[in-house]
Amino acid sequence: METENDDKIRRVRSLRTRPVRSSSESLQRVRSFKTTSKGLVNRGDSLKLNISGVHDSPGIKKKTTDKESCTKDTCQDNVEHFDTQNVVSENESCFQCYYRVLITGAEGVGKSSIIDQFMTSEFLGNASFNISQSEGERTVTLQVDGEESTLEFVQSEDFQDQDESFQIDGFVVVYCITERATFDIAIDLLKQIRDEVGSNKAIILVGNKSDLVRKRTISQEEGRSAADAYGCKYIELSAALNHRVDELLVGIHKQIKLKSDAENEELECKIPKGKERKSSFKRTKRFLEKVFLGHSGKDKKTENLYVD
């Protein structure tokens, strides 16, 4: 029969066999998604061992471990000791992209609520909103169709005391569909962003509080037209109901990747004939879209956050 003393000894031995996690190691949440012809599929959240615990500069690929030693076996060894049900290793890729996204708009349009919903697949009701967010709580790693990236969300006040290296890779401009004044501010912000950064950055116009449809003062057509005018994407959602928030999150990832890939293509040296052939194809495609799809085709593309 086991005595109380034996039980204490057994528990002490059990604790000794557990490895101590170093201060440079942490578990980070990874949100996984898959895009299909029927829409976006949320594949749930998992946890991954983040060895460095620090993020590199935005907009660049981050080396998480030594490239030569980062094999499938070693990556699995990094996580097998932790008693966690959903922990994924970094065996798919030793590199990930880190991007910084500015969430801006008038006060009270729901910017913080949207960021809260970005952080987890679990539904957050109104009671969970307005929580003070630390830097870690505004950073989320996601896998979309096998591509992994980490997004850090910042707001205007985060620019205080920052130097010129504080790079922004994407912009999300939020307004409330029930308040005309917030929409006017959003339009001014779109104009300022376009004037400052041009067309080489991802920009998404977001109409929040779509659940308050009976109080709507800005129509979808008006929001879509504004997005068309400034060459950006457009989506309506409800942060309170977590409706279409995942679509926005994945859309941010997709738009930044598309803009980044397009910029890299422009920097590459190509054969002139190849450039001319590609340019001719794009012009022909645009012409056919105008002839056969009319204005509705443009509208549809404006609201598709997964294409350029």
Side-chain angles (χ1 to χ4, degrees), residues 24-116:
S24 62
E25 297 177 353
S26 62
L27 290 174
Q28 64 179 131
R29 182 186 297 268
V30 180
R31 302 195 61 193
S32 299
F33 299 93
K34 183 178 181 180
T35 56
T36 69
S37 58
K38 295 182 179 180
L40 184 68
V41 177
N42 186 334
R43 305 183 70 178
D45 300 359
S46 56
L47 296 176
K48 181 180 74 172
L49 182 63
N50 180 20
I51 297 176
S52 64
V54 255
H55 298 294
D56 287 358
S57 299
I60 65 172
K61 289 191 174 181
K62 167 189 168 186
K63 188 174 182 181
T64 54
T65 57
D66 183 71
K67 188 175 182 180
E68 295 180 355
S69 63
C70 187
T71 64
K72 181 176 181 180
D73 294 333
T74 57
C75 285
Q76 287 178 338
D77 290 340
N78 286 333
V79 297
E80 65 181 4
H81 298 297
F82 291 100
D83 185 20
T84 308
Q85 291 182 349
N86 295 315
V87 178
V88 294
S89 64
E90 293 174 309
N91 52 15
E92 292 186 4
S93 174
C94 297
F95 294 88
Q96 72 179 45
C97 293
Y98 187 92
Y99 300 110
R100 186 177 287 133
V101 181
L102 174 65
I103 306 284
T104 185
E107 189 174 347
V109 295
K111 300 185 293 293
S112 296
S113 299
I114 292 173
I115 295 174
D116 281 340

Side-chain angles (χ1 to χ4, degrees), residues 147 256-266 268:
E147 292 182 331
I256 291 177
K257 293 284 289 182
L258 287 168
K259 292 294 184 182
S260 177
D261 292 344
E263 188 176 0
N264 291 336
E265 285 182 6
E266 291 178 2
E268 291 178 357

